[in-house]
Amino acid sequence: LGTEDGLFVFDGAHFHRLGIAEGLPSSWIFSLLADDRGVWVGTESGVRHVDRDHVEPLIQVGGGSDARINALAAGPDHSILAATDLGLFEIRAGLFAPVAGWTGGATDAVWVDADGSVLAGRGTDLVERAPTGKWTTTTLGPDRITQIARTPDGALWVRSPRRLWTCTGAADSIACRDISNELADVGEVGRLLVDHRGSLWVPTRRGLEHRTADSGDHGMPSRRHLLTGSAATVFCAALGVAHRAW
């Protein structure tokens, strides 16, 4: 669990806290990304990989190692993409370096498709890098883009603090439609989640929206954050942690 007071690791019986003393660059956790060896931890001052209770170091290339890590995504060839307040960075073989071709500016969101296409939010722009390496920009507005997710049906979902879009098309030819008025409330209070069944969960100030590409239903009381577990379990956290399994 990532918190403002460190990373808490559950060993099956107890939670153990990892912070600056254990090797994290900051105790304020902004993003997490699990892999087959542990978890990548994005903090207010950089990113580290944690394998059980061991925090692994990174080698800095070209600056930015102390940037705030707003989001993480698994890229091709075992690379990791990091959306930071200093731009888009890539972690590959223990090296942390700027992504070649990034046009500049802070980014709050990043997503990588199965074909290697990269999508990132830069202010009100959705910036796309196709597998060919070509960069294109789609301006959505009026808010900065804070979250990106894709469901298995191919629908791309883009969120800002006051908007939700659904998009179609390849990375170099995206068309987006604002569907904010279809939600009971669109106010951003948590993270988009694609569950094991391919459905999208959208937390808002008035509850959880559970949506597919062409439908949505509103239910469950208001919650702040979403996590996912095995067997299509959805976890919701407000003042504590609760879960619902289907």
Side-chain angles (χ1 to χ4, degrees):
L1 295 176
T3 77
E4 295 179 8
D5 188 37
L7 179 71
F8 288 81
V9 181
F10 187 62
D11 64 5
H14 305 92
F15 280 100
H16 302 276
R17 179 184 178 276
L18 300 179
I20 294 175
E22 289 73 31
L24 291 179
S26 169
S27 293
W28 194 345
I29 312 301
F30 276 77
S31 52
L32 298 173
L33 177 67
D35 64 11
D36 56 1
R37 298 189 301 109
V39 62
W40 289 94
V41 183
T43 79
E44 185 183 30
S45 303
V47 61
R48 294 292 186 274
H49 187 267
V50 176
D51 182 0
R52 298 180 183 271
D53 291 337
H54 175 62
V55 180
E56 302 170 355
L58 282 179
I59 300 172
Q60 171 185 342
V61 177
S65 63
D66 59 349
R68 184 180 70 239
I69 311 298
N70 299 312
L72 295 163
D77 303 324
H78 304 290
S79 64
I80 302 295
L81 276 293
T84 83
D85 59 341
L86 298 179
L88 189 63
F89 285 76
E90 184 177 44
I91 305 166
R92 186 186 296 274
L95 302 178
F96 184 84
V99 169
W102 178 249
T103 52
T107 174
D108 290 313
V110 63
W111 181 269
V112 181
D113 283 333
D115 66 358
S117 299
V118 176
L119 302 110
R122 184 192 60 201
T124 61
D125 293 338
L126 179 63
V127 183
E128 309 96 34
R129 186 186 71 186
T132 60
K134 177 184 177 182
W135 291 86
T136 56
T137 300
T138 304
T139 299
L140 298 181
D143 302 330
R144 79 187 193 284
I145 294 170
T146 57
Q147 299 174 53
I148 303 170
R150 192 184 293 277
T151 43
D153 59 8
L156 182 71
W157 305 86
V158 181
R159 195 177 193 187
S160 75
R162 295 178 297 175
R163 295 285 192 277
L164 179 67
W165 294 268
T166 181
C167 308
T168 58
D172 57 355
S173 59
I174 286 179
C176 297
R177 180 171 63 93
D178 187 344
I179 60 167
S180 306
N181 61 356
E182 299 179 18
L183 278 69
D185 180 278
V186 77
E188 182 184 49
V189 293
R191 292 284 180 179
L192 298 177
L193 172 71
V194 179
D195 68 19
H196 297 279
R197 296 175 178 172
S199 298
L200 182 77
W201 295 85
V202 184
T204 76
R205 291 173 299 187
R206 294 183 60 183
L208 274 173
E209 293 278 355
H210 181 209
R211 301 185 62 88
T212 62
D214 57 1
S215 66
D217 59 271
H218 177 74
M220 302 182 65
S222 181
R223 292 292 186 263
R224 290 297 301 274
H225 301 288
L226 291 181
L227 302 170
T228 184
S230 60
T233 300
V234 172
F235 294 82
C236 309
L239 298 178
V241 176
H243 80 275
R244 171 81 182 270
W246 287 268

